[in-house]
């Protein structure tokens, strides 16, 4: 798995964790009939994933996650879907699927 | 989620009338592949890993033969509902004697807040609460008939 894939995986996993750690959300899921979520299992997967990630991306991701609750944002039509700023044309990477950093909010950007 | 929004996630190309596979992970793969083919999912492997991880942390079977796997993911840019049926039934939760015959995969983009995503999931679960509706969903001959049931119950 590539560095990009690992970081995207971490982002999706952190969304799962956000739901699993929130008592109100989990209570709501239980009322809907879902079984209890095993937070520890998700956290173990997170640890395994962290061990495979480059410190450079992890630092930026972690800082933005602490600050906003999200470490990474997708880019659509050159707009950062984290802070909704329009990114300069020069910020567009040549290849799709590349990671960069949002100069406005600091989130890792995923260009697809 | 409003009625019109639920209607907008219904797409005839996101319907699997009878699943080929029976193992949970394979079923998720089959449904994701369908959604990928329809252009609703851009990173199928990422989505599969996310959904499998949720299942490992806790089953998404909600009783009465219904499972509602769900996720917010970077792999989707619009909310989507993938509807699948299994005539033979699936062993979704180990030890659960009731086989799952209806799988409703609810997908939200990563930007959607957790509460908004759960509103969507609650709508989907709610649509299957009545035995009459589950029966209609299982017996529907076409996607239009499936969509009609889902629209009717959230109206
Ligand atoms: Zn930004």
């Amino acid at each position: 798995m590539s560095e990009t894939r690992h970081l995207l995986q971490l982002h999706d996993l952190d969304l799962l964790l956000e739901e699993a750690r929130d008592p109100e959300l989990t209570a709501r899921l239980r009322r809907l009939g879902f079984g209890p979520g095993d937070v520890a299992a998700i956290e173990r997967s997170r640890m395994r994933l962290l061990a495979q990630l480059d410190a450079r991306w992890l630092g930026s991701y972690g800082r933005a996650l602490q600050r906003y609750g999200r470490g990474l944002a997708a880019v659509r039509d050159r707009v950062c879907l984290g802070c909704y700023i329009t990114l300069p044309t020069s910020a567009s990477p040549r290849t799709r699927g590349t990671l960069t950093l949002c100069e406005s909010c600091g989130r890792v950007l995923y260009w697809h | 989620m409003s009625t019109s929004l639920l209607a907008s996630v219904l797409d005839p190309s996101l319907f699997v009338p009878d699943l080929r596979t029976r193992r949970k992970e394979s079923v998720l793969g089959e449904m994701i592949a369908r959604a990928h083919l329809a252009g609703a999912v851009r990173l199928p492997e990422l989505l599969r890993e996310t959904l499998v991880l949720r299942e490992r942390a806790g089953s998404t079977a909600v009783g009465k033969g219904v499972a509602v796997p769900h996720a917010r993911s970077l792999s989707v840019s619009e909310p989507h509902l993938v509807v699948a049926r299994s005539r033979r039934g699936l062993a979704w939760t180990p030890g659960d004697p009731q086989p799952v015959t209806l799988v409703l995969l609810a997908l939200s983009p990563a930007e959607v807040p957790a509460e908004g995503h759960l509103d969507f999931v609650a709508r989907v679960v709610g649509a299957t609460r009545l035995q009459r509706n589950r029966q209609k969903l299982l017996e529907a001959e076409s996607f239009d008939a499936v969509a009609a049931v889902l629209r009717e119950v959230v109206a």
Side-chain angles (χ1 to χ4, degrees), chain A residues 5 8-9 11-13 15-16 18-19 25 28 32-34 36-38 45 70 72 76 110 112, chain B residues 42-43 46 49-50 53-54 57 59-61 68 72-74 77 110-112 114 118-119 125 129:
Chain A
R5 273 288 300 287
L8 301 186
Q9 182 74 52
H11 168 275
D12 271 16
L13 187 153
L15 293 184
L16 283 183
E18 183 193 354
E19 293 166 29
L25 296 176
R28 198 170 166 205
L32 289 171
F34 290 96
D38 181 354
S45 298
R70 299 286 181 95
L72 184 146
R76 193 190 296 169
Y110 172 60
H112 51 79
Chain B
R42 57 183 172 226
L43 298 164
L46 173 69
E49 281 158 16
T50 302
L53 186 61
R54 185 191 293 281
S59 172
T60 57
V68 183
R72 291 180 290 157
S73 174
L74 283 163
S77 50
E111 297 78 37
V112 171
L118 284 205
D119 288 347
V125 174
R129 280 287 188 240

mmCIF file of all heavy atoms in Angstrom, chain A residues 5 8-9 11-13 15-16 18-19 25 28 32-34 36-38 45 70 72 76 110 112, chain B residues 42-43 46 49-50 53-54 57 59-61 68 72-74 77 110-112 114 118-119 125 129:
data_model
loop_
_atom_site.group_PDB
_atom_site.id
_atom_site.type_symbol
_atom_site.label_atom_id
_atom_site.label_comp_id
_atom_site.label_asym_id
_atom_site.label_seq_id
_atom_site.Cartn_x
_atom_site.Cartn_y
_atom_site.Cartn_z
ATOM 1 N N ARG A 5 -2.308 5.938 0.246
ATOM 2 C CA ARG A 5 -3.363 5.003 0.662
ATOM 3 C C ARG A 5 -3.402 4.840 2.180
ATOM 4 O O ARG A 5 -4.477 4.799 2.794
ATOM 5 C CB ARG A 5 -3.158 3.649 -0.008
ATOM 6 C CG ARG A 5 -3.797 3.538 -1.372
ATOM 7 C CD ARG A 5 -5.319 3.460 -1.253
ATOM 8 N NE ARG A 5 -5.745 2.305 -0.476
ATOM 9 C CZ ARG A 5 -5.688 1.061 -0.909
ATOM 10 N NH1 ARG A 5 -5.249 0.780 -2.098
ATOM 11 N NH2 ARG A 5 -6.089 0.064 -0.131
ATOM 12 N N LEU A 8 -4.997 7.955 3.673
ATOM 13 C CA LEU A 8 -6.445 7.982 3.424
ATOM 14 C C LEU A 8 -7.144 6.985 4.346
ATOM 15 O O LEU A 8 -8.216 7.259 4.897
ATOM 16 C CB LEU A 8 -6.762 7.639 1.962
ATOM 17 C CG LEU A 8 -6.158 8.524 0.877
ATOM 18 C CD1 LEU A 8 -6.693 8.124 -0.490
ATOM 19 C CD2 LEU A 8 -6.448 9.991 1.120
ATOM 20 N N GLN A 9 -6.513 5.845 4.515
ATOM 21 C CA GLN A 9 -7.051 4.813 5.400
ATOM 22 C C GLN A 9 -7.134 5.324 6.844
ATOM 23 O O GLN A 9 -8.134 5.135 7.535
ATOM 24 C CB GLN A 9 -6.132 3.584 5.326
ATOM 25 C CG GLN A 9 -6.581 2.412 6.164
ATOM 26 C CD GLN A 9 -7.769 1.706 5.560
ATOM 27 O OE1 GLN A 9 -7.711 1.344 4.403
ATOM 28 N NE2 GLN A 9 -8.820 1.524 6.306
ATOM 29 N N HIS A 11 -7.389 8.387 7.767
ATOM 30 C CA HIS A 11 -8.462 9.396 7.830
ATOM 31 C C HIS A 11 -9.836 8.742 7.987
ATOM 32 O O HIS A 11 -10.627 9.123 8.858
ATOM 33 C CB HIS A 11 -8.418 10.256 6.559
ATOM 34 C CG HIS A 11 -9.616 11.111 6.387
ATOM 35 N ND1 HIS A 11 -10.767 10.651 5.790
ATOM 36 C CD2 HIS A 11 -9.880 12.374 6.767
ATOM 37 C CE1 HIS A 11 -11.674 11.616 5.809
ATOM 38 N NE2 HIS A 11 -11.168 12.663 6.390
ATOM 39 N N ASP A 12 -10.121 7.727 7.160
ATOM 40 C CA ASP A 12 -11.414 7.025 7.253
ATOM 41 C C ASP A 12 -11.560 6.338 8.614
ATOM 42 O O ASP A 12 -12.630 6.336 9.217
ATOM 43 C CB ASP A 12 -11.547 5.976 6.134
ATOM 44 C CG ASP A 12 -12.158 6.561 4.857
ATOM 45 O OD1 ASP A 12 -12.196 7.810 4.737
ATOM 46 O OD2 ASP A 12 -12.589 5.784 3.989
ATOM 47 N N LEU A 13 -10.456 5.782 9.079
ATOM 48 C CA LEU A 13 -10.465 5.097 10.377
ATOM 49 C C LEU A 13 -10.740 6.101 11.512
ATOM 50 O O LEU A 13 -11.477 5.798 12.453
ATOM 51 C CB LEU A 13 -9.110 4.406 10.555
ATOM 52 C CG LEU A 13 -8.904 3.479 11.740
ATOM 53 C CD1 LEU A 13 -7.848 2.432 11.394
ATOM 54 C CD2 LEU A 13 -8.442 4.237 12.962
ATOM 55 N N LEU A 15 -12.545 8.714 11.270
ATOM 56 C CA LEU A 15 -13.983 9.032 11.243
ATOM 57 C C LEU A 15 -14.769 7.957 12.000
ATOM 58 O O LEU A 15 -15.721 8.253 12.727
ATOM 59 C CB LEU A 15 -14.497 9.126 9.802
ATOM 60 C CG LEU A 15 -13.965 10.272 8.947
ATOM 61 C CD1 LEU A 15 -14.645 10.274 7.585
ATOM 62 C CD2 LEU A 15 -14.171 11.622 9.610
ATOM 63 N N LEU A 16 -14.365 6.699 11.821
ATOM 64 C CA LEU A 16 -14.995 5.593 12.566
ATOM 65 C C LEU A 16 -14.799 5.788 14.065
ATOM 66 O O LEU A 16 -15.730 5.638 14.857
ATOM 67 C CB LEU A 16 -14.354 4.253 12.195
ATOM 68 C CG LEU A 16 -14.699 3.564 10.900
ATOM 69 C CD1 LEU A 16 -13.981 2.222 10.839
ATOM 70 C CD2 LEU A 16 -16.183 3.319 10.801
ATOM 71 N N GLU A 18 -14.228 8.528 15.667
ATOM 72 C CA GLU A 18 -15.008 9.679 16.134
ATOM 73 C C GLU A 18 -16.419 9.219 16.542
ATOM 74 O O GLU A 18 -16.927 9.613 17.591
ATOM 75 C CB GLU A 18 -15.083 10.723 15.005
ATOM 76 C CG GLU A 18 -15.809 11.999 15.388
ATOM 77 C CD GLU A 18 -16.139 12.863 14.175
ATOM 78 O OE1 GLU A 18 -15.722 12.546 13.047
ATOM 79 O OE2 GLU A 18 -16.853 13.867 14.377
ATOM 80 N N GLU A 19 -17.003 8.350 15.711
ATOM 81 C CA GLU A 19 -18.352 7.838 16.027
ATOM 82 C C GLU A 19 -18.307 6.880 17.221
ATOM 83 O O GLU A 19 -19.150 6.946 18.111
ATOM 84 C CB GLU A 19 -18.938 7.100 14.820
ATOM 85 C CG GLU A 19 -19.241 8.007 13.640
ATOM 86 C CD GLU A 19 -19.501 7.221 12.359
ATOM 87 O OE1 GLU A 19 -19.983 6.076 12.435
ATOM 88 O OE2 GLU A 19 -19.201 7.756 11.275
ATOM 89 N N LEU A 25 -23.551 9.261 20.096
ATOM 90 C CA LEU A 25 -23.667 8.598 18.791
ATOM 91 C C LEU A 25 -23.782 7.088 18.958
ATOM 92 O O LEU A 25 -24.584 6.435 18.278
ATOM 93 C CB LEU A 25 -22.472 8.933 17.896
ATOM 94 C CG LEU A 25 -22.315 10.405 17.486
ATOM 95 C CD1 LEU A 25 -21.036 10.591 16.693
ATOM 96 C CD2 LEU A 25 -23.506 10.872 16.656
ATOM 97 N N ARG A 28 -27.167 6.139 20.119
ATOM 98 C CA ARG A 28 -28.124 6.222 19.005
ATOM 99 C C ARG A 28 -28.015 4.988 18.103
ATOM 100 O O ARG A 28 -29.037 4.423 17.688
ATOM 101 C CB ARG A 28 -27.815 7.497 18.211
ATOM 102 C CG ARG A 28 -28.942 7.911 17.343
ATOM 103 C CD ARG A 28 -28.743 9.273 16.758
ATOM 104 N NE ARG A 28 -29.699 9.446 15.685
ATOM 105 C CZ ARG A 28 -29.534 10.274 14.670
ATOM 106 N NH1 ARG A 28 -28.462 11.027 14.609
ATOM 107 N NH2 ARG A 28 -30.449 10.356 13.725
ATOM 108 N N LEU A 32 -30.819 1.963 17.282
ATOM 109 C CA LEU A 32 -31.195 1.548 15.916
ATOM 110 C C LEU A 32 -31.037 0.044 15.710
ATOM 111 O O LEU A 32 -31.451 -0.486 14.684
ATOM 112 C CB LEU A 32 -30.344 2.303 14.882
ATOM 113 C CG LEU A 32 -30.647 3.791 14.705
ATOM 114 C CD1 LEU A 32 -29.582 4.456 13.830
ATOM 115 C CD2 LEU A 32 -32.031 3.999 14.083
ATOM 116 N N GLY A 33 -30.407 -0.625 16.675
ATOM 117 C CA GLY A 33 -30.277 -2.080 16.581
ATOM 118 C C GLY A 33 -28.870 -2.567 16.295
ATOM 119 O O GLY A 33 -28.636 -3.773 16.180
ATOM 120 N N PHE A 34 -27.903 -1.628 16.171
ATOM 121 C CA PHE A 34 -26.525 -2.042 15.899
ATOM 122 C C PHE A 34 -25.881 -2.594 17.169
ATOM 123 O O PHE A 34 -26.218 -2.159 18.269
ATOM 124 C CB PHE A 34 -25.696 -0.858 15.392
ATOM 125 C CG PHE A 34 -26.077 -0.399 14.018
ATOM 126 C CD1 PHE A 34 -26.960 0.659 13.844
ATOM 127 C CD2 PHE A 34 -25.577 -1.035 12.890
ATOM 128 C CE1 PHE A 34 -27.329 1.090 12.577
ATOM 129 C CE2 PHE A 34 -25.944 -0.612 11.620
ATOM 130 C CZ PHE A 34 -26.827 0.449 11.456
ATOM 131 N N PRO A 36 -22.735 -3.424 19.888
ATOM 132 C CA PRO A 36 -21.763 -2.514 20.497
ATOM 133 C C PRO A 36 -20.468 -2.489 19.690
ATOM 134 O O PRO A 36 -20.013 -3.527 19.213
ATOM 135 C CB PRO A 36 -21.534 -3.119 21.887
ATOM 136 C CG PRO A 36 -21.903 -4.551 21.751
ATOM 137 C CD PRO A 36 -22.940 -4.650 20.678
ATOM 138 N N GLY A 37 -19.896 -1.321 19.484
ATOM 139 C CA GLY A 37 -18.647 -1.195 18.724
ATOM 140 C C GLY A 37 -17.448 -1.417 19.632
ATOM 141 O O GLY A 37 -17.452 -0.995 20.779
ATOM 142 N N ASP A 38 -16.444 -2.101 19.119
ATOM 143 C CA ASP A 38 -15.243 -2.384 19.891
ATOM 144 C C ASP A 38 -14.190 -1.305 19.568
ATOM 145 O O ASP A 38 -13.446 -1.422 18.602
ATOM 146 C CB ASP A 38 -14.736 -3.786 19.521
ATOM 147 C CG ASP A 38 -13.500 -4.191 20.290
ATOM 148 O OD1 ASP A 38 -12.959 -3.360 21.038
ATOM 149 O OD2 ASP A 38 -13.073 -5.349 20.139
ATOM 150 N N SER A 45 -5.976 -1.188 15.175
ATOM 151 C CA SER A 45 -5.742 -1.037 13.728
ATOM 152 C C SER A 45 -5.055 0.297 13.455
ATOM 153 O O SER A 45 -4.191 0.403 12.585
ATOM 154 C CB SER A 45 -7.061 -1.056 12.960
ATOM 155 O OG SER A 45 -7.693 -2.275 13.129
ATOM 156 N N ARG A 70 -10.145 16.946 12.073
ATOM 157 C CA ARG A 70 -9.870 16.273 10.790
ATOM 158 C C ARG A 70 -8.456 16.626 10.365
ATOM 159 O O ARG A 70 -8.093 17.796 10.371
ATOM 160 C CB ARG A 70 -10.806 16.766 9.672
ATOM 161 C CG ARG A 70 -12.281 16.533 9.908
ATOM 162 C CD ARG A 70 -12.630 15.067 9.727
ATOM 163 N NE ARG A 70 -14.057 14.901 9.939
ATOM 164 C CZ ARG A 70 -14.959 14.892 8.967
ATOM 165 N NH1 ARG A 70 -14.580 15.013 7.719
ATOM 166 N NH2 ARG A 70 -16.237 14.741 9.241
ATOM 167 N N LEU A 72 -7.139 15.614 7.344
ATOM 168 C CA LEU A 72 -6.994 15.568 5.893
ATOM 169 C C LEU A 72 -8.288 16.038 5.245
ATOM 170 O O LEU A 72 -9.370 15.831 5.803
ATOM 171 C CB LEU A 72 -6.681 14.125 5.486
ATOM 172 C CG LEU A 72 -6.383 13.766 4.053
ATOM 173 C CD1 LEU A 72 -5.363 12.626 4.016
ATOM 174 C CD2 LEU A 72 -7.628 13.350 3.278
ATOM 175 N N ARG A 76 -11.876 19.522 -4.140
ATOM 176 C CA ARG A 76 -12.807 19.409 -5.263
ATOM 177 C C ARG A 76 -12.868 20.751 -5.989
ATOM 178 O O ARG A 76 -13.057 21.778 -5.356
ATOM 179 C CB ARG A 76 -14.202 19.020 -4.779
ATOM 180 C CG ARG A 76 -15.106 18.582 -5.933
ATOM 181 C CD ARG A 76 -16.532 18.433 -5.493
ATOM 182 N NE ARG A 76 -16.690 17.372 -4.511
ATOM 183 C CZ ARG A 76 -17.819 17.187 -3.815
ATOM 184 N NH1 ARG A 76 -18.851 17.965 -4.002
ATOM 185 N NH2 ARG A 76 -17.902 16.210 -2.933
ATOM 186 N N TYR A 110 -5.951 15.891 -0.268
ATOM 187 C CA TYR A 110 -5.992 14.760 -1.191
ATOM 188 C C TYR A 110 -6.634 15.224 -2.500
ATOM 189 O O TYR A 110 -7.810 15.588 -2.529
ATOM 190 C CB TYR A 110 -6.769 13.593 -0.577
ATOM 191 C CG TYR A 110 -6.996 12.485 -1.557
ATOM 192 C CD1 TYR A 110 -5.913 11.833 -2.144
ATOM 193 C CD2 TYR A 110 -8.281 12.098 -1.921
ATOM 194 C CE1 TYR A 110 -6.111 10.831 -3.073
ATOM 195 C CE2 TYR A 110 -8.485 11.088 -2.843
ATOM 196 C CZ TYR A 110 -7.398 10.461 -3.423
ATOM 197 O OH TYR A 110 -7.604 9.477 -4.341
ATOM 198 N N HIS A 112 -7.975 14.328 -6.037
ATOM 199 C CA HIS A 112 -8.391 13.126 -6.760
ATOM 200 C C HIS A 112 -8.973 13.483 -8.117
ATOM 201 O O HIS A 112 -9.111 14.636 -8.457
ATOM 202 C CB HIS A 112 -9.409 12.319 -5.952
ATOM 203 C CG HIS A 112 -10.552 13.140 -5.465
ATOM 204 N ND1 HIS A 112 -11.605 13.495 -6.240
ATOM 205 C CD2 HIS A 112 -10.754 13.710 -4.251
ATOM 206 C CE1 HIS A 112 -12.443 14.228 -5.534
ATOM 207 N NE2 HIS A 112 -11.956 14.395 -4.345
ATOM 208 N N ARG B 42 -14.994 5.984 -5.775
ATOM 209 C CA ARG B 42 -13.772 6.185 -6.567
ATOM 210 C C ARG B 42 -12.586 5.364 -6.058
ATOM 211 O O ARG B 42 -11.661 5.118 -6.801
ATOM 212 C CB ARG B 42 -13.424 7.665 -6.668
ATOM 213 C CG ARG B 42 -13.255 8.336 -5.330
ATOM 214 C CD ARG B 42 -12.973 9.817 -5.469
ATOM 215 N NE ARG B 42 -13.010 10.412 -4.147
ATOM 216 C CZ ARG B 42 -13.636 11.531 -3.838
ATOM 217 N NH1 ARG B 42 -14.287 12.201 -4.752
ATOM 218 N NH2 ARG B 42 -13.615 12.015 -2.615
ATOM 219 N N LEU B 43 -12.603 5.000 -4.773
ATOM 220 C CA LEU B 43 -11.491 4.213 -4.232
ATOM 221 C C LEU B 43 -12.060 2.951 -3.582
ATOM 222 O O LEU B 43 -12.207 2.886 -2.365
ATOM 223 C CB LEU B 43 -10.714 5.035 -3.196
ATOM 224 C CG LEU B 43 -10.045 6.324 -3.689
ATOM 225 C CD1 LEU B 43 -9.670 7.223 -2.527
ATOM 226 C CD2 LEU B 43 -8.816 5.996 -4.523
ATOM 227 N N LEU B 46 -10.152 1.267 -0.577
ATOM 228 C CA LEU B 46 -10.192 2.056 0.662
ATOM 229 C C LEU B 46 -11.531 1.846 1.364
ATOM 230 O O LEU B 46 -11.592 1.605 2.571
ATOM 231 C CB LEU B 46 -9.992 3.552 0.355
ATOM 232 C CG LEU B 46 -10.183 4.499 1.543
ATOM 233 C CD1 LEU B 46 -9.070 4.327 2.565
ATOM 234 C CD2 LEU B 46 -10.255 5.953 1.095
ATOM 235 N N GLU B 49 -11.793 -1.585 2.967
ATOM 236 C CA GLU B 49 -11.034 -1.672 4.219
ATOM 237 C C GLU B 49 -11.771 -0.970 5.362
ATOM 238 O O GLU B 49 -11.831 -1.463 6.485
ATOM 239 C CB GLU B 49 -9.637 -1.061 4.039
ATOM 240 C CG GLU B 49 -8.679 -2.010 3.339
ATOM 241 C CD GLU B 49 -7.509 -1.295 2.680
ATOM 242 O OE1 GLU B 49 -7.274 -0.113 3.011
ATOM 243 O OE2 GLU B 49 -6.851 -1.912 1.835
ATOM 244 N N THR B 50 -12.363 0.179 5.051
ATOM 245 C CA THR B 50 -13.092 0.938 6.075
ATOM 246 C C THR B 50 -14.306 0.152 6.571
ATOM 247 O O THR B 50 -14.549 0.049 7.775
ATOM 248 C CB THR B 50 -13.535 2.303 5.490
ATOM 249 O OG1 THR B 50 -12.367 3.001 5.040
ATOM 250 C CG2 THR B 50 -14.256 3.150 6.521
ATOM 251 N N LEU B 53 -13.303 -2.924 8.585
ATOM 252 C CA LEU B 53 -12.849 -2.514 9.923
ATOM 253 C C LEU B 53 -14.049 -2.261 10.838
ATOM 254 O O LEU B 53 -14.064 -2.663 11.996
ATOM 255 C CB LEU B 53 -11.990 -1.250 9.799
ATOM 256 C CG LEU B 53 -11.332 -0.769 11.083
ATOM 257 C CD1 LEU B 53 -10.393 -1.828 11.636
ATOM 258 C CD2 LEU B 53 -10.554 0.521 10.819
ATOM 259 N N ARG B 54 -15.072 -1.594 10.304
ATOM 260 C CA ARG B 54 -16.260 -1.354 11.140
ATOM 261 C C ARG B 54 -16.907 -2.673 11.556
ATOM 262 O O ARG B 54 -17.319 -2.850 12.687
ATOM 263 C CB ARG B 54 -17.298 -0.480 10.424
ATOM 264 C CG ARG B 54 -18.452 -0.146 11.383
ATOM 265 C CD ARG B 54 -19.641 0.468 10.720
ATOM 266 N NE ARG B 54 -19.436 1.781 10.182
ATOM 267 C CZ ARG B 54 -19.432 2.904 10.909
ATOM 268 N NH1 ARG B 54 -19.588 2.856 12.210
ATOM 269 N NH2 ARG B 54 -19.277 4.063 10.325
ATOM 270 N N ALA B 57 -15.156 -4.272 14.331
ATOM 271 C CA ALA B 57 -15.374 -3.589 15.617
ATOM 272 C C ALA B 57 -16.794 -3.825 16.132
ATOM 273 O O ALA B 57 -17.084 -3.571 17.289
ATOM 274 C CB ALA B 57 -15.116 -2.099 15.457
ATOM 275 N N SER B 59 -20.794 -5.810 14.563
ATOM 276 C CA SER B 59 -21.617 -6.173 13.407
ATOM 277 C C SER B 59 -22.635 -5.076 13.086
ATOM 278 O O SER B 59 -23.124 -4.381 13.973
ATOM 279 C CB SER B 59 -22.351 -7.475 13.697
ATOM 280 O OG SER B 59 -23.290 -7.734 12.677
ATOM 281 N N THR B 60 -22.958 -4.946 11.798
ATOM 282 C CA THR B 60 -23.951 -3.953 11.389
ATOM 283 C C THR B 60 -25.304 -4.605 11.076
ATOM 284 O O THR B 60 -26.150 -3.972 10.439
ATOM 285 C CB THR B 60 -23.470 -3.162 10.147
ATOM 286 O OG1 THR B 60 -23.192 -4.094 9.105
ATOM 287 C CG2 THR B 60 -22.249 -2.328 10.465
ATOM 288 N N ALA B 61 -25.486 -5.848 11.524
ATOM 289 C CA ALA B 61 -26.815 -6.462 11.399
ATOM 290 C C ALA B 61 -27.722 -5.773 12.416
ATOM 291 O O ALA B 61 -27.324 -5.531 13.552
ATOM 292 C CB ALA B 61 -26.734 -7.954 11.689
ATOM 293 N N VAL B 68 -27.150 -3.150 7.810
ATOM 294 C CA VAL B 68 -26.938 -1.803 7.258
ATOM 295 C C VAL B 68 -25.473 -1.403 7.479
ATOM 296 O O VAL B 68 -25.158 -0.628 8.386
ATOM 297 C CB VAL B 68 -27.909 -0.766 7.892
ATOM 298 C CG1 VAL B 68 -27.732 0.616 7.247
ATOM 299 C CG2 VAL B 68 -29.367 -1.216 7.735
ATOM 300 N N ARG B 72 -18.633 6.847 6.494
ATOM 301 C CA ARG B 72 -18.243 8.107 5.860
ATOM 302 C C ARG B 72 -16.842 7.840 5.314
ATOM 303 O O ARG B 72 -16.002 7.288 6.020
ATOM 304 C CB ARG B 72 -18.177 9.229 6.891
ATOM 305 C CG ARG B 72 -19.537 9.629 7.422
ATOM 306 C CD ARG B 72 -19.403 10.734 8.443
ATOM 307 N NE ARG B 72 -18.786 10.267 9.667
ATOM 308 C CZ ARG B 72 -18.155 11.069 10.534
ATOM 309 N NH1 ARG B 72 -18.065 12.363 10.279
ATOM 310 N NH2 ARG B 72 -17.632 10.589 11.637
ATOM 311 N N SER B 73 -16.614 8.222 4.076
ATOM 312 C CA SER B 73 -15.320 7.866 3.486
ATOM 313 C C SER B 73 -14.907 8.837 2.393
ATOM 314 O O SER B 73 -15.752 9.411 1.694
ATOM 315 C CB SER B 73 -15.409 6.453 2.900
ATOM 316 O OG SER B 73 -14.223 6.137 2.198
ATOM 317 N N LEU B 74 -13.593 8.970 2.257
ATOM 318 C CA LEU B 74 -13.036 9.770 1.155
ATOM 319 C C LEU B 74 -13.324 9.134 -0.191
ATOM 320 O O LEU B 74 -13.148 9.760 -1.224
ATOM 321 C CB LEU B 74 -11.516 9.876 1.319
ATOM 322 C CG LEU B 74 -11.004 10.854 2.371
ATOM 323 C CD1 LEU B 74 -9.566 10.543 2.695
ATOM 324 C CD2 LEU B 74 -11.148 12.285 1.877
ATOM 325 N N SER B 77 -18.053 10.907 -3.012
ATOM 326 C CA SER B 77 -18.203 12.366 -2.975
ATOM 327 C C SER B 77 -19.662 12.793 -2.844
ATOM 328 O O SER B 77 -19.944 13.972 -2.665
ATOM 329 C CB SER B 77 -17.553 13.006 -4.203
ATOM 330 O OG SER B 77 -17.984 12.369 -5.362
ATOM 331 N N ALA B 110 -16.827 12.049 3.276
ATOM 332 C CA ALA B 110 -16.074 12.286 4.513
ATOM 333 C C ALA B 110 -16.431 13.616 5.165
ATOM 334 O O ALA B 110 -16.342 13.753 6.382
ATOM 335 C CB ALA B 110 -14.580 12.242 4.204
ATOM 336 N N GLU B 111 -16.841 14.598 4.362
ATOM 337 C CA GLU B 111 -17.087 15.941 4.915
ATOM 338 C C GLU B 111 -18.362 15.997 5.750
ATOM 339 O O GLU B 111 -18.587 16.959 6.485
ATOM 340 C CB GLU B 111 -17.212 16.971 3.777
ATOM 341 C CG GLU B 111 -15.957 17.147 2.944
ATOM 342 C CD GLU B 111 -15.768 16.021 1.939
ATOM 343 O OE1 GLU B 111 -16.763 15.538 1.372
ATOM 344 O OE2 GLU B 111 -14.602 15.599 1.750
ATOM 345 N N VAL B 112 -19.239 14.995 5.597
ATOM 346 C CA VAL B 112 -20.518 15.004 6.328
ATOM 347 C C VAL B 112 -20.252 14.794 7.828
ATOM 348 O O VAL B 112 -19.509 13.892 8.201
ATOM 349 C CB VAL B 112 -21.444 13.882 5.775
ATOM 350 C CG1 VAL B 112 -22.682 13.705 6.649
ATOM 351 C CG2 VAL B 112 -21.843 14.193 4.348
ATOM 352 N N ALA B 114 -20.750 13.511 11.668
ATOM 353 C CA ALA B 114 -21.219 12.202 12.142
ATOM 354 C C ALA B 114 -22.735 12.190 12.349
ATOM 355 O O ALA B 114 -23.411 11.221 11.981
ATOM 356 C CB ALA B 114 -20.503 11.846 13.447
ATOM 357 N N LEU B 118 -25.500 9.722 10.612
ATOM 358 C CA LEU B 118 -26.401 8.848 11.389
ATOM 359 C C LEU B 118 -27.866 9.133 11.082
ATOM 360 O O LEU B 118 -28.706 8.227 11.148
ATOM 361 C CB LEU B 118 -26.136 8.975 12.893
ATOM 362 C CG LEU B 118 -24.892 8.278 13.427
ATOM 363 C CD1 LEU B 118 -25.043 7.948 14.903
ATOM 364 C CD2 LEU B 118 -24.568 6.999 12.676
ATOM 365 N N ASP B 119 -28.197 10.380 10.745
ATOM 366 C CA ASP B 119 -29.572 10.686 10.307
ATOM 367 C C ASP B 119 -29.912 9.836 9.075
ATOM 368 O O ASP B 119 -31.000 9.269 8.972
ATOM 369 C CB ASP B 119 -29.712 12.171 9.930
ATOM 370 C CG ASP B 119 -29.692 13.081 11.149
ATOM 371 O OD1 ASP B 119 -29.814 12.565 12.281
ATOM 372 O OD2 ASP B 119 -29.538 14.306 10.961
ATOM 373 N N VAL B 125 -32.512 2.438 8.246
ATOM 374 C CA VAL B 125 -32.963 1.393 9.179
ATOM 375 C C VAL B 125 -34.480 1.493 9.347
ATOM 376 O O VAL B 125 -35.191 0.484 9.307
ATOM 377 C CB VAL B 125 -32.251 1.522 10.549
ATOM 378 C CG1 VAL B 125 -32.832 0.542 11.561
ATOM 379 C CG2 VAL B 125 -30.749 1.278 10.403
ATOM 380 N N ARG B 129 -38.133 -1.322 9.208
ATOM 381 C CA ARG B 129 -38.669 -1.730 10.505
ATOM 382 C C ARG B 129 -39.943 -2.590 10.397
ATOM 383 O O ARG B 129 -40.111 -3.553 11.133
ATOM 384 C CB ARG B 129 -38.968 -0.506 11.370
ATOM 385 C CG ARG B 129 -37.744 0.073 12.037
ATOM 386 C CD ARG B 129 -37.268 -0.803 13.179
ATOM 387 N NE ARG B 129 -36.206 -0.167 13.943
ATOM 388 C CZ ARG B 129 -34.991 -0.646 14.102
ATOM 389 N NH1 ARG B 129 -34.650 -1.774 13.509
ATOM 390 N NH2 ARG B 129 -34.100 -0.024 14.822
#
